[in-house]
């Protein structure tokens, strides 16, 4: 067990706002039930025969090798958990206490990663309160340390540990690599697009020897690989190196319409699969960008509308917009370990794609459109904050983890390595 916990400052402020929340954590999500969850829930299930039968059937199918899949909590047809009562309260927690909940429910929206004795806590952007706290406050992403054990980690036994084998160079050097990514992000003299391009260039600089499963850090080649890694991580600390990337990158022209088309397909697929809140959100955003149909002309027109709105909003609210997106990227670097991806370049590509999607959806948000039509409304932060929170949370909860978005990412990134993937990072970075 560690003695200390590191977390961004906003997580010291997080409290679930329960009935004041605009969402319900479990609505629209699939909640896995592990064997230990099932044992923990057993006494409570006597009062819920229909749900108990569903779980018994799923678990039985898994044991028989029938479905071969993790059992999930049963859901109502509207996508809410079958344990949610008519007042939208969790009946398991209400009647049997926190101890009866599956790990995912007990810990959400907290996300803990543990590497050796170093534990880190952050939050899931699928929770609107986490989005508000992490993106809006100036100091939200400042690192803090708390003593361990901490009440902020309700189930330490459920924490997933990342391996840190010295021969496995990819994860062993993860910490200095992430620090270098954060240093590049903090160079706010360059626009975010340039900093995303710099992250791509940094990832490309180590792409031939620093990836999951690399042998470069084993045996005799280890010292050479470590020296190369260290040189590449420091390269972008130099203002000249950053300026060179900025100059080269600023001259690139993005094929806007086709990129808008890719995002539109994913959002439409989610609207069809989810309904309710997601369908309403997607419909209003796509309609405002003229994307209900989405032929080539509409895509180009939507791209042009998007860029006009983005420039207009930046002219009026540049510093605030810059802070939200800086925090969004910083949060990704905290929350998502790149070692979960086959390469650093694949990770940066996923990040650039997410930023592009959020920016497009935000510029289609009816509140943003209304703000741009009524410039005096831009003097108060609330409408823009509401639009940012709704966009980021909906994308995080309903789009980013969807099979459609994952297959788009994998299809575009290919092997996730090499000059082609870097090219695609640069395309989406300039979104
Ligand atoms: S989504 Fe977040 S704030 Fe809302 S009920 Fe769940 S944990 Fe609480």
């Amino acid at each position: 067990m560690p003695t200390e916990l590191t977390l961004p400052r906003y997580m010291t402020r997080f409290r679930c706002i329960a009935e004041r929340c605009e969402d319900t954590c479990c609505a629209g999500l699939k909640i896995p039930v592990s064997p230990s969850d099932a044992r923990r829930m057993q006494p409570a299930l006597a009062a819920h025969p229909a749900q108990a039968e569903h779980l018994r059937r799923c678990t039985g199918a898994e044991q028989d090798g029938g479905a071969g899949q993790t059992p999930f909590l049963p859901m109502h047809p509207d996508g809410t958990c079958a344990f949610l009562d008519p007042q939208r309260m969790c009946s398991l927690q209400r009647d049997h206490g926190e101890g009866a909940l599956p790990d995912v429910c007990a810990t959400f929206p907290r996300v803990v990663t543990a590497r050796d004795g170093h534990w880190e806590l952050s939050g899931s952007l699928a929770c609107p309160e986490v989005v508000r706290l992490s993106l809006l406050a100036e100091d939200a992403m400042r690192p803090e340390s708390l003593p361990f054990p901490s009440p902020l980690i309700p189930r330490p036994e459920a924490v997933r540990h990342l391996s840190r084998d010295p021969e496995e160079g990819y994860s062993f050097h993860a910490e200095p690599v992430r620090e270098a990514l954060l240093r590049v992000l903090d160079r706010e003299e360059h626009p975010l697009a340039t900093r995303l391009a710099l992250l791509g260039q940094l990832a490309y600089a180590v792409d031939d020897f620093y990836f999951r499963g690399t042998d470069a850090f084993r045996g005799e080649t280890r010292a050479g690989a470590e020296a190369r890694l260290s040189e590449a991580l420091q390269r972008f600390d130099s203002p000249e190196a950053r300026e060179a990337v900025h100059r080269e990158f600023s001259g690139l022209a993005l094929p806007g319409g086709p990129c808008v088309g890719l995002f539109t397909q994913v959002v439409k697929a989610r609207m069809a699969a989810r309904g309710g809140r997601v369908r309403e959100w997607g419909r209003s955003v796509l309609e405002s960008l003229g994307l209900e149909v989405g032929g080539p002309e509409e895509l180009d027109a939507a791209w042009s509308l998007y860029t006009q709105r983005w420039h207009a909003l930046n002219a009026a609210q540049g510093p605030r917009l810059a802070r939200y997106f800086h925090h969004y990227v910083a949060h990704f670097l905290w929350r998502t370990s790149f070692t979960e991806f086959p390469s650093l370049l694949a990770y940066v590509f996923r990040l650039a794609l997410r930023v592009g999607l959020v920016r497009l959806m935000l510029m289609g948000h009816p509140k943003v459109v209304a703000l741009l039509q009524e410039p005096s409304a831009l003097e108060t932060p609330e409408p823009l904050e509401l639009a940012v929170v709704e966009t980021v949370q909906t994308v995080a909860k309903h789009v980013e983890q969807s099979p459609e978005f994952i297959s788009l990412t994998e299809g575009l990134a290919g092997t996730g390595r090499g000059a082609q993937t870097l090219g695609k990072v640069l395309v989406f970075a300039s979104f």
Side-chain angles (χ1 to χ4, degrees):
M1 283 285 169
T3 53
E4 205 176 65
L5 177 67
T6 311
L7 66 170
R9 186 170 292 170
Y10 82 85
M11 278 309 283
T12 62
R13 299 168 177 154
F14 174 78
R15 304 282 178 280
C16 171
I17 56 171
E19 68 283 357
R20 287 185 292 119
C21 180
E22 57 269 56
D23 199 6
T24 305
C25 325
C26 52
L29 292 183
K30 289 174 83 180
I31 317 272
V33 181
S34 68
S36 62
D37 288 334
R39 276 194 297 280
R40 194 178 311 108
M41 291 168 71
Q42 208 54 48
L45 287 175
H48 301 272
Q51 288 89 328
E53 173 58 18
H54 167 96
L55 280 174
R56 196 196 57 72
R57 268 189 277 115
C58 294
T59 315
E62 183 194 35
Q63 282 164 356
D64 298 345
Q69 289 168 355
T70 310
F72 292 94
L73 286 186
M75 307 302 278
H76 291 306
D78 68 354
T80 56
C81 175
F83 289 101
L84 212 58
D85 71 14
Q87 287 72 44
R88 298 183 79 77
M89 300 293 286
C90 172
S91 59
L92 270 183
Q93 177 154 20
R94 184 197 61 211
D95 299 340
H96 308 281
E98 198 265 355
L101 299 178
D103 287 337
V104 171
C105 304
T107 53
F108 185 86
R110 297 168 191 84
V111 180
V112 185
T113 49
R115 199 180 276 112
D116 284 350
H118 180 199
W119 285 36
E120 276 185 14
L121 173 67
S122 61
S124 163
L125 295 180
C127 162
E129 184 64 0
V130 166
V131 179
R132 255 185 297 279
L133 294 172
S134 64
L135 301 195
L136 305 186
E138 194 96 46
D139 63 348
M141 293 307 298
R142 298 227 177 104
E144 296 274 354
S145 292
L146 291 179
F148 200 89
S150 163
L152 297 182
I153 304 198
R155 297 233 174 126
E157 68 282 6
V159 168
R160 198 162 56 91
H161 291 253
L162 300 177
S163 120
R164 201 158 186 267
D165 172 359
E167 289 279 291
E168 216 291 67
Y170 192 49
S171 54
F172 187 73
H173 295 285
E175 216 25 64
V177 172
R178 185 177 63 162
E179 281 166 16
L181 299 177
L182 285 164
R183 282 202 303 279
V184 168
L185 174 66
D186 286 342
R187 297 293 176 183
E188 296 192 49
E189 65 272 24
H190 294 298
L192 183 68
T194 295
R195 284 174 279 150
L196 289 173
L198 282 162
L199 295 180
Q201 293 286 5
L202 190 158
Y204 184 60
V206 301
D207 191 49
D208 64 320
F209 67 101
Y210 185 70
F211 50 87
R212 189 195 286 157
T214 180
D215 284 330
F217 294 82
R218 295 183 194 277
E220 288 176 3
T221 56
R222 182 169 167 182
E226 287 180 348
R228 277 190 71 193
L229 184 63
S230 164
E231 183 280 322
L233 298 185
Q234 286 167 28
R235 193 179 309 161
F236 296 100
D237 289 336
S238 136
E240 292 75 25
R242 291 197 304 273
E243 192 50 40
V245 171
H246 176 60
R247 268 198 312 275
E248 194 180 331
F249 174 68
S250 308
L252 288 181
L254 167 71
C259 294
V260 169
L262 292 173
F263 287 144
T264 305
Q265 277 171 23
V266 171
V267 171
K268 284 184 175 170
R270 295 321 292 153
M271 288 162 65
R274 283 281 192 256
R277 197 167 167 254
V278 180
R279 188 174 300 164
E280 187 48 35
W281 164 81
R283 191 197 50 73
S284 61
V285 168
L286 297 184
E287 208 175 275
S288 119
L289 289 165
L291 285 167
E292 305 96 310
V293 180
E297 282 172 20
E298 284 85 5
L299 295 179
D300 287 339
W303 170 249
S304 146
L305 199 54
Y306 159 77
T307 48
Q308 281 167 27
R309 288 180 186 171
W310 180 258
H311 289 308
L313 194 61
N314 246 302
Q317 288 294 335
R320 223 189 285 157
L321 216 46
R323 175 178 356 121
Y324 301 153
F325 278 91
H326 172 279
H327 286 8
Y328 181 75
V329 175
H331 193 271
F332 182 86
L333 300 180
W334 260 90
R335 152 80 180 79
T336 311
S337 171
F338 69 80
T339 56
E340 292 168 23
F341 291 73
S343 72
L344 197 55
L345 205 46
Y347 174 76
V348 175
F349 177 66
R350 177 74 72 94
L351 168 64
L353 209 58
R354 285 185 183 201
V355 173
L357 175 61
V358 169
R359 280 171 64 150
L360 178 67
M361 295 294 107
L362 183 62
M363 290 308 107
H365 197 290
K367 282 203 162 49
V368 168
V369 180
L371 277 175
L372 293 172
Q373 283 165 353
E374 184 48 75
S376 66
L378 281 162
E379 285 158 19
T380 54
E382 286 79 13
L384 182 57
E385 290 181 353
L386 286 172
V388 166
V389 170
E390 187 182 11
T391 303
V392 170
Q393 191 251 342
T394 309
V395 168
K397 184 167 177 180
H398 298 288
V399 184
E400 285 173 3
Q401 305 301 329
S402 69
E404 295 86 358
F405 188 73
I406 291 169
S407 84
L408 170 72
T409 313
E410 288 172 354
L412 287 173
T415 59
R417 296 184 49 206
Q420 274 199 350
T421 304
L422 173 64
K424 287 171 184 163
V425 170
L426 299 182
V427 163
F428 284 95
S430 60
F431 207 93

